[in-house]
Amino acid sequence: MVRMMSTDSLSSGNWAIAKLPGLKPAECDRLKGCGIKTTYQLLNQTRKPQGAEDLAARLKISAHYVKKWAVLADLARIPGVGYQYCGLVLHCGVVSPKQLGQTQIQRFYPQLMRLCVSATRQRSVCPSRGDVVSWIQAAQCVKPLN
């Protein structure tokens, strides 16, 4: 059983499925119809490759989408990244907490900033270098899914 945090804190790591970036309301409803209301529930369903395939078959969509959502949910577990920045991290080519934990800030931060500024047209909404350093450190402490 997945325990939901009562607040929307960055450290909870378990989010309502609707918070993941890029999911349309209809897709969220279909996931909820399969009993998936949180990111942890999605991760539990997709932990094994066959789980992602089975869920995709139930949703009648490509497994590619389910796997992408699972990667976003996994990245959202990282304190500080959460659902707010997991899409940005993924678009920088990072697909797991382990990979983020091994990432060099000197290469990653400029890439992340370029992407963030090009997407938002505002530097002020982008995470600071210190924030990204803390994400990398936090990612090193996130336990892998088994």
Side-chain angles (χ1 to χ4, degrees):
M1 180 89 183
V2 175
R3 190 173 138 270
M4 288 286 295
M5 300 290 278
S6 60
T7 64
D8 196 35
S9 72
L10 287 176
S11 62
S12 74
N14 189 23
W15 311 102
I17 200 70
K19 297 269 188 184
L20 285 181
L23 265 77
K24 298 173 185 153
E27 294 166 334
C28 292
D29 290 343
R30 290 167 65 194
L31 284 166
K32 288 176 185 175
C34 291
I36 299 172
K37 298 176 185 164
T38 70
T39 55
Y40 279 9
Q41 290 171 334
L42 176 63
L43 289 169
N44 284 332
Q45 286 285 316
T46 58
R47 189 169 283 163
K48 295 181 178 152
Q50 191 57 46
E53 299 288 336
D54 291 345
L55 180 58
R58 283 188 284 160
L59 294 170
K60 296 182 173 87
I61 62 170
S62 168
H64 169 79
Y65 294 109
V66 174
K67 291 173 185 176
K68 179 180 177 183
W69 300 337
V71 167
L72 288 167
D74 195 21
L75 291 171
R77 296 186 311 133
I78 303 167
V81 173
Y83 66 87
Q84 298 91 337
Y85 295 111
C86 63
L88 183 62
V89 171
L90 176 61
H91 283 286
C92 287
V94 174
V95 297
S96 71
K98 180 180 180 181
Q99 184 181 2
L100 183 59
Q102 297 170 344
T103 299
Q104 298 296 314
I105 189 70
Q106 300 89 328
R107 290 182 134 164
F108 183 66
Y109 187 67
Q111 179 184 8
L112 183 120
M113 286 302 293
R114 279 191 303 275
L115 185 59
C116 186
V117 169
S118 72
T120 65
R121 306 269 190 252
Q122 296 179 350
R123 188 173 185 87
S124 62
V125 299
C126 300
S128 71
R129 181 179 172 93
D131 290 338
V132 177
V133 167
S134 70
W135 298 353
I136 292 170
Q137 292 168 342
Q140 294 167 355
C141 299
V142 172
K143 293 182 181 172
L145 298 172
N146 293 334

